Amino acid sequence: TGLKRYGNVSRDVVDALIALYDAEIAELDYNLNLFFEGIGELGLKGNTIIIIMADSGEEFYEHGSFKHGRTLYQEDVHVPLLIYYPKRLEPKIVKDPVSTLDIFPTVLDMVGIEVPGSVDGFSLAPLIENNGSYEREFVKSELFGLPEYETRKQTAIIQNEWKLIEVEPETETIPSGLYNLNTDPKEQKNLYNIFPEKRKLLQKYITKNS
C-alpha cells in the first residue's frame, strides 16, 4: 500500500485524532436533531425529501496519511448517504456502491419529474424501493492536482467487489492499486500486478463519463 508519508506515528496519536473527530460528529448529530425537530414543528417532516451526505471521509493513518482529499482509498471516498422520504421510502440499508452524481436524478424521480438525458447519474429510487435495477455499471472517483504529493491525477473505479486506483504519476507514498473489497475491505493487499487481466478490465472505464 505504499510507504507511510508521516513515518511511524504512535497509536495514541491516532486515537487522539479519532476522538477529536468523534466530537465533531457528535456536534453535527446534535444540530441535525435540532433541524429535524424544526421540520417536525412546521409539519413538513412527512412530506419532505431530506438527504444527508458527506463530501469526503477522513484518513486516520490507514494508509500512512491523515486528513482528506489526498487519496481515493475507502476511508476517503466511502461516505454516508442518508435519504429520508417517508411518503415513498421504507427504512432500508443499501450496500451497493453508488455515486453522489445520482442524488440529483433521484430527487427528480421521487417528485415525478422526468430526468433529462443530459443529466449525469441515475436514479437510486428503484434500488431503494424494491431492489430494482440500478443502471450504473461502475462507480468512478477522481482527484486532481496534489503538488505536495507530486500527483497530477488519481482515478478510482469500483465495479462489484473490485476497486482499481490509478495514480498519475505514482509516488512512493501513493501507488496505483487493485483491491478486492470483499476479502480486503481496508485495502491492505495490493493485487495490481497479481491480477493484470482484472486491472486491464477496470482500466477501460477510466475514460468513460458515467
Side-chain angles (χ1 to χ4, degrees), residues 6-176:
Y6 292 99
N8 293 320
V9 177
S10 73
R11 188 67 230 180
D12 288 343
V13 170
V14 176
D15 289 342
L17 292 172
I18 291 174
L20 290 172
Y21 195 73
D22 287 344
E24 293 182 342
I25 295 173
E27 182 182 12
L28 176 62
D29 285 348
Y30 173 77
N31 285 286
L32 283 174
N33 186 57
L34 295 179
F35 169 75
F36 290 133
E37 288 179 353
I39 291 289
E41 291 171 359
L42 293 172
L44 300 174
K45 195 172 181 180
N47 194 35
T48 300
I49 300 174
I50 300 174
I51 298 177
I52 301 171
M53 60 159 288
D55 61 341
S56 74
E58 194 78 3
E59 299 179 56
F60 291 104
Y61 203 56
E62 294 92 340
H63 292 90
S65 189
F66 293 96
K67 299 184 179 181
H68 57 263
R70 291 165 167 78
T71 69
L72 294 177
Y73 293 114
Q74 287 297 90
E75 56 263 25
D76 214 328
V77 301
H78 186 198
V79 299
L81 173 59
L82 292 85
I83 301 177
Y84 175 86
Y85 191 38
K87 184 177 179 180
R88 181 165 169 179
L89 303 178
E90 296 289 333
K92 183 179 182 180
I93 296 176
V94 175
K95 295 184 178 181
D96 302 59
V98 299
S99 172
T100 53
L101 287 175
D102 301 325
I103 293 175
F104 179 52
T106 299
V107 172
L108 292 181
D109 187 5
M110 287 188 176
V111 298
I113 299 176
E114 184 176 353
V115 180
S118 59
V119 171
D120 290 331
F122 304 95
S123 174
L124 298 174
L127 187 64
I128 299 171
E129 290 180 320
N130 51 19
N131 291 319
S133 62
Y134 177 46
E135 298 181 45
R136 184 176 295 285
E137 187 178 0
F138 62 93
V139 173
K140 179 194 287 187
S141 299
E142 294 177 298
L143 183 61
F144 297 93
L146 288 175
E148 76 271 28
Y149 280 67
E150 300 177 349
T151 68
R152 292 188 302 273
K153 181 181 179 182
Q154 298 178 47
T155 307
I157 301 293
I158 296 179
Q159 185 184 54
N160 300 320
E161 75 272 24
W162 288 96
K163 179 178 177 181
L164 171 73
I165 301 176
E166 286 287 350
V167 181
E168 306 172 24
E170 290 184 287
T171 71
E172 287 187 321
T173 56
I174 308 179
S176 296

Side-chain angles (χ1 to χ4, degrees), residues 188-205:
Q188 296 298 309
K189 186 175 182 180
N190 191 340
L191 305 174
Y192 194 86
N193 294 318
I194 298 177
F195 294 107
E197 294 303 317
K198 175 60 68 174
R199 182 190 76 220
K200 292 175 184 177
L201 176 64
L202 295 181
Q203 284 172 335
K204 295 178 181 180
Y205 294 113

